[in-house]
Amino acid sequence: LRKINGEIINYQTNLKTKHYPTEGTIRGEGIAQDITERKQLEAEREQRNKELKEAFKIAKMASWRIESEGVDTPLDKIVCYFSDEYYTLLGTTAQEQGGYKTSFKDWIENYLHPKSVPNIMIAIEQMAFVNEAESEVEYQLVRINDKQS
């Protein structure tokens, strides 16, 4: 829709129709909602995400997260989620590795350099027993292309 001043506004409509063959009519009713502000916020968020991705690329940074059901969760049940940038640092893509999700055990076996395993395990163990923690851990990853050579 367009306002009188020419400004375009975005609407979303939930529409329900019903056919009445005996009367030869179709009736519809719906609810319309102005979603202009939501669309503007989505566009701003998309632009910020593009800028953040570019900043990560320039800085050679990537994001990830790890989820566990608790301190006694086996390594193959702890789940890691990696961003596209993380896979780029590894010299591969999420698609080539079967998606954005992998087990912590698979990450250790396939991406983490063996010399780094003790540091990572100590950090994970320390963080498992507190409600909230921050730490900085240095470790080495094995680039996928390097493993295949």
Side-chain angles (χ1 to χ4, degrees):
L1 292 174
R2 190 180 300 268
K3 289 184 175 182
I4 294 173
N5 66 3
E7 179 185 348
I8 295 175
I9 50 178
N10 294 292
Y11 268 88
Q12 176 177 320
T13 298
N14 295 328
L15 178 64
K16 179 180 176 182
T17 60
K18 186 165 184 173
H19 292 254
Y20 295 93
T22 56
E23 299 174 14
T25 60
I26 301 172
R27 293 189 186 139
E29 59 186 36
I31 298 172
Q33 179 181 11
D34 182 345
I35 59 168
T36 304
E37 185 177 349
R38 183 181 87 197
K39 288 289 192 181
Q40 290 169 342
L41 292 172
E42 287 172 355
E44 289 172 17
R45 183 183 69 220
E46 187 176 317
Q47 180 61 35
R48 285 191 191 114
N49 283 343
K50 286 179 184 177
E51 292 167 0
L52 184 60
K53 277 183 167 266
E54 185 61 25
F56 269 54
K57 183 179 175 183
I58 291 168
K60 293 186 178 181
M61 293 174 61
S63 62
W64 57 272
R65 81 173 193 276
I66 186 171
E67 294 180 1
S68 166
E69 294 178 5
V71 295
D72 296 324
T73 305
L75 294 182
D76 62 336
K77 300 293 183 195
I78 299 173
V79 180
C80 301
Y81 298 89
F82 300 119
S83 66
D84 286 321
E85 296 81 12
Y86 197 91
Y87 283 110
T88 298
L89 293 176
L90 290 170
T92 187
T93 65
Q95 185 177 10
E96 289 173 352
Q97 299 306 309
Y100 293 94
K101 176 179 162 182
T102 190
S103 76
F104 186 67
K105 181 180 177 188
D106 286 343
W107 177 73
I108 290 172
E109 292 173 355
N110 296 309
Y111 307 115
L112 190 63
H113 191 282
K115 291 190 317 189
S116 296
V117 173
N119 290 346
I120 293 294
M121 295 311 293
I122 289 168
I124 292 295
E125 190 173 307
Q126 289 172 345
M127 294 178 77
F129 293 101
V130 294
N131 286 338
E132 193 171 316
E134 279 189 37
S135 67
E136 190 170 297
V137 182
E138 288 190 24
Y139 58 94
Q140 294 176 322
L141 294 173
V142 178
R143 290 180 58 88
I144 301 302
N145 294 339
D146 295 342
K147 283 181 85 171
Q148 296 171 350
S149 307

